[in-house]
Amino acid sequence: MAKLTKKQKEAASKIEKNKLYSLKDASALIKEVASAKFDESVDIAVRLGVDPRKANQMVRGVVTLPHGTGKDVRVLALVTPDKEAEAKAAGADFVGLDDYLQKIKDGWTDVDVIITMPAVMGKLGPLGRILGPRGLMPNPKTGTVTMDVAKAVTEVKAGKIDFKVDKTGIVHAGIGKVSFGADMITENAHEIIQTLIKLKPTAAKGTYIKSIHISSTMSPAIALDPKAV
């Protein structure tokens, strides 16, 4: 086990063991314990009482964070020529089709989100092995396969993210930066938690929200009281 640095020990000492914090208090504390010289990302991890191996207990969705993620999201719009102008106007960083499909085949994946049209999905199928493991494959359920390309680009740039429960039953998501105000972190976290609650599968039994933790890139995780969010 790696030894904690002096700063990490100091940060850990500010977090009470076995205490469940309110979302408001945790959002303020995460700013206090962050010690890196760069603007750390703030992440949330929600453990759900579901069995992801069963299709009727899969939890997946999208949410638009009120204050965005604080990250400059690089968007690739794979569109036909008639849609290129609107994609560019909406703020897509890369716009095109065949040239970018070839670049991806050659190993280029230097983007965060890919948005495309239904008619183009057939061309993306062979690239599933490249895009799938990186979470870049467009999906109609997350709004990244659509005819309204401009709207999709605008929403992603404004803070729309998609999430999916992993095989251990946990949903991970970035909800901002340490430089955000505590209230901004609180509101972003609250938005995704409420979205998860709305997505509770009818097949899920027992406690649905089992635990919630927030952390920054270099700080220990802070446990939240699921009843106080």
Side-chain angles (χ1 to χ4, degrees):
M1 184 176 177
K3 290 185 177 180
L4 295 177
T5 65
K6 184 178 179 181
K7 285 185 177 180
Q8 288 173 325
K9 287 180 180 178
E10 187 178 336
S13 69
K14 295 179 180 178
I15 302 171
E16 290 185 40
K17 286 185 179 180
N18 303 319
K19 177 177 178 178
L20 297 178
Y21 290 83
S22 69
L23 178 54
K24 183 178 180 181
D25 289 345
S27 298
L29 185 56
I30 201 75
K31 292 176 61 64
E32 189 180 332
V33 299
S35 59
K37 293 181 180 179
F38 60 91
D39 191 6
E40 298 178 50
S41 295
V42 177
D43 301 303
I44 190 168
V46 184
R47 183 180 292 277
L48 302 176
V50 299
D51 184 349
R53 295 171 298 178
K54 297 180 179 178
N56 63 356
Q57 293 189 45
M58 173 55 65
V59 177
R60 179 173 190 166
V62 296
V63 61
T64 299
L65 301 177
H67 304 288
T69 62
K71 180 181 178 182
D72 183 20
V73 182
R74 297 161 300 175
V75 177
L76 164 61
L78 291 173
V79 296
T80 50
D82 58 304
K83 290 283 186 178
E84 288 186 1
E86 65 179 85
K88 289 176 182 175
D93 301 271
F94 309 99
V95 180
L97 187 53
D98 292 333
D99 288 350
Y100 282 104
L101 290 173
Q102 186 58 52
K103 285 186 70 173
I104 293 170
K105 285 179 184 177
D106 294 338
W108 180 79
T109 55
D110 195 21
V111 293
D112 299 301
V113 178
I114 297 177
I115 292 170
T116 192
M117 307 156 55
V120 176
M121 279 303 290
K123 294 186 176 184
L124 282 175
L127 301 177
R129 289 184 180 180
I130 299 172
L131 301 178
R134 294 169 175 78
L136 291 173
M137 180 60 82
N139 188 313
K141 292 182 180 179
T142 61
T144 48
V145 180
T146 175
M147 286 302 294
D148 197 345
V149 173
K151 180 183 178 184
V153 172
T154 301
E155 288 179 342
V156 168
K157 286 287 188 177
K160 181 179 177 181
I161 61 171
D162 66 277
F163 54 83
K164 180 180 179 182
V165 65
D166 67 17
K167 61 184 180 181
T168 64
I170 300 175
V171 171
H172 298 271
I175 55 169
K177 295 284 189 177
V178 166
S179 58
F180 281 20
D183 57 335
M184 295 167 68
I185 296 172
T186 297
E187 289 168 16
N188 276 358
H190 183 265
E191 190 70 23
I192 191 168
I193 292 167
Q194 292 306 309
T195 300
L196 285 169
I197 291 172
K198 291 175 184 175
L199 291 173
K200 179 183 178 180
T202 54
K205 305 300 179 184
T207 303
Y208 178 55
I209 303 287
K210 288 195 166 184
S211 67
I212 307 172
H213 290 81
I214 64 170
S215 61
S216 63
T217 307
M218 304 296 287
S219 77
I222 301 171
L224 273 63
D225 182 354
K227 298 177 183 177
V229 295

